[in-house]
Amino acid sequence: MVRVLYAGSPDASAKTFSLLAQNATDYEIVGVLTNPASAQGRHKTPVPTAVATAAGERGIPVFTPEHLDAACREQIAAISPDILVCFAYGHIFGPKFLALFKCGGINLHPSLLPKYRGATPVNAAILNGDAQTGITVQRLALAMDEGDILVQEIVALHGMETAGSLLDYCALRGAELIKNVLVHCAKYGVLPNGTAQQGEASYTKVIAKDDCRIDWGKSAKKIEAHVRAYSPVPSAWTLADGEQLKILEAHVALGDVEHGADGENFACEAGTTYGRNDAAWKNGSAGKNLAAPSGTVLSFHKKHGIFVKTGDGMLAVTKLQKQGKKAMDAAAFMNGARNFVGMQLH
């Protein structure tokens, strides 16, 4: 029986932890290492991480040190773990800490390493319009994401994923890959043989607020990917009449935008063609304002959303959220935004 210390913090990591804990046979999770509770809400109430909550529900000891110092190492050594399993803990482990584990440590990383090392590989893959990404289980090394690859699996991308849905998939599938490594470790007493990472490395960064701001001068395709890459959090946003407006869901409006002013050749992504008698054309025709600046709200259709001019094509926005308000669909939003059509978003 292999004794596991699990290190992680956010929701996705909690999903991996829960699946590993449910299916534990050749291994036992004897402790969890996670970030300290963070102050949240108006009253700054300390809220534990998702991993801490999941571990507490199972009665597994939780460690929340500010630093992986001597005191922390002493606490960890007391539970005698054999291996460290990490997914999204957010700290680099030093040599003294890794020396606590006779089998070493492994890390789950949702990319095809060495591509997209760092904090936000899932967001980067969607933002860049990649056709595929992957899941890697690697040996923990002293440098960030540079350890040998133990298992790597390709994940095809279909262009509809959000960062949330893709990360959830990687978390659940990653748990199965980790389990296989732990079973091998229990049987042989060591990790499987790994292979050195091949190819040019690329790096991702922590997402800043300005990274999420929409540039309406880009193509509708690029903006649609931008929305998915930052969904559900921290969310893509723009300014509407000087106030922040989150764009939560959107899709490319397909068709002959330049020559379809009468509606005959204009279609949305779902394949619905707008005809001359369609309400979208009767009430604020999208076609007649195609010369407007990028970011201009051209029209609204109850079924298909709010149409916004981009640097190349139009974006159909279907879910939005005003600052300090609840998220709502396009129809509900427009009920309280009578002057929204014609406005330029920035």
Side-chain angles (χ1 to χ4, degrees):
M1 180 73 70
V2 175
R3 296 173 63 83
V4 176
L5 176 70
Y6 185 89
S9 295
D11 289 344
S13 187
K15 290 180 172 67
T16 302
F17 163 80
S18 296
L19 198 56
L20 286 172
Q22 289 170 10
N23 298 323
T25 52
D26 298 86
Y27 58 89
E28 177 186 4
I29 300 178
V30 296
V32 158
L33 182 67
T34 190
N35 287 328
S38 59
Q40 297 182 18
R42 180 180 300 177
H43 302 291
K44 303 300 181 182
T45 304
V47 177
T49 68
V51 170
T53 299
E57 291 171 352
R58 294 179 176 276
I60 296 174
V62 177
F63 302 91
T64 59
E66 292 283 354
H67 305 285
L68 303 179
D69 53 17
C72 171
R73 294 195 297 271
E74 184 177 350
Q75 288 181 314
I76 299 302
I79 62 173
S80 303
D82 299 314
I83 188 171
L84 173 64
V85 174
C86 178
F87 177 33
Y89 176 48
H91 301 270
I92 294 177
F93 302 102
K96 291 182 179 179
F97 191 85
L98 290 178
L100 297 173
F101 308 92
K102 68 179 183 180
C103 293
I106 60 175
N107 178 56
L108 177 64
H109 191 78
S111 82
L112 291 174
L113 288 172
K115 190 173 185 180
Y116 299 142
R117 291 174 178 170
T120 54
V122 165
N123 310 82
I126 295 174
L127 196 61
N128 293 333
D130 291 352
Q132 64 180 29
T133 185
I135 308 170
T136 301
V137 179
Q138 61 174 155
R139 190 187 302 271
L140 274 169
L142 297 179
M144 182 179 65
D145 298 332
E146 292 188 9
D148 289 351
I149 294 172
L150 305 180
V151 183
Q152 192 169 74
E153 187 170 279
I154 293 174
V155 177
L157 300 180
H158 49 67
M160 299 292 287
E161 304 86 359
T162 65
S165 67
L166 180 54
L167 189 57
D168 281 349
Y169 174 80
C170 291
L172 298 177
R173 179 57 186 156
E176 295 296 325
L177 301 181
I178 290 171
K179 180 182 177 181
N180 293 339
V181 173
L182 293 177
V183 170
H184 181 281
C185 194
K187 185 175 182 179
Y188 298 104
V190 293
L191 291 174
N193 292 328
T195 58
Q197 297 183 29
Q198 302 292 325
E200 184 178 356
S202 62
Y203 295 85
T204 63
K205 65 175 184 175
V206 175
I207 297 169
K209 179 180 178 180
D210 283 348
D211 295 329
C212 303
R213 186 172 184 174
I214 296 172
D215 178 356
W216 293 102
K218 293 184 177 180
S219 69
K221 182 177 180 181
K222 285 282 189 182
I223 297 172
E224 186 265 352
H226 181 98
V227 172
R228 291 187 291 108
Y230 298 123
S231 173
V233 291
S235 300
W237 63 277
T238 188
L239 289 179
D241 199 21
E243 295 186 355
Q244 181 177 301
L245 176 67
K246 291 183 178 180
I247 306 298
L248 303 180
E249 292 179 5
H251 62 263
V252 177
L254 303 178
D256 187 349
V257 176
E258 291 298 326
H259 303 98
D262 62 358
E264 286 184 330
N265 299 316
F266 182 79
C268 73
E269 186 176 38
T272 301
T273 301
Y274 288 84
R276 293 176 183 174
N277 296 321
D278 194 286
W281 300 96
K282 286 184 176 181
N283 304 318
S285 168
K288 66 184 180 182
N289 293 317
L290 287 178
S294 297
T296 300
V297 180
L298 298 176
S299 65
F300 163 65
H301 186 274
K302 287 185 178 180
K303 181 178 180 181
H304 302 295
I306 299 165
F307 292 88
V308 184
K309 173 75 181 298
T310 74
D312 182 8
M314 287 194 290
L315 191 75
V317 178
T318 54
K319 190 173 183 181
L320 315 83
Q321 184 177 13
K322 290 183 178 180
Q323 192 167 11
K325 303 293 184 180
K326 293 182 179 180
M328 59 186 74
D329 62 30
F333 176 87
M334 290 300 293
N335 284 336
R338 298 295 182 183
N339 298 321
F340 197 60
V341 173
M343 184 180 294
Q344 187 178 4
L345 307 178
H346 296 277

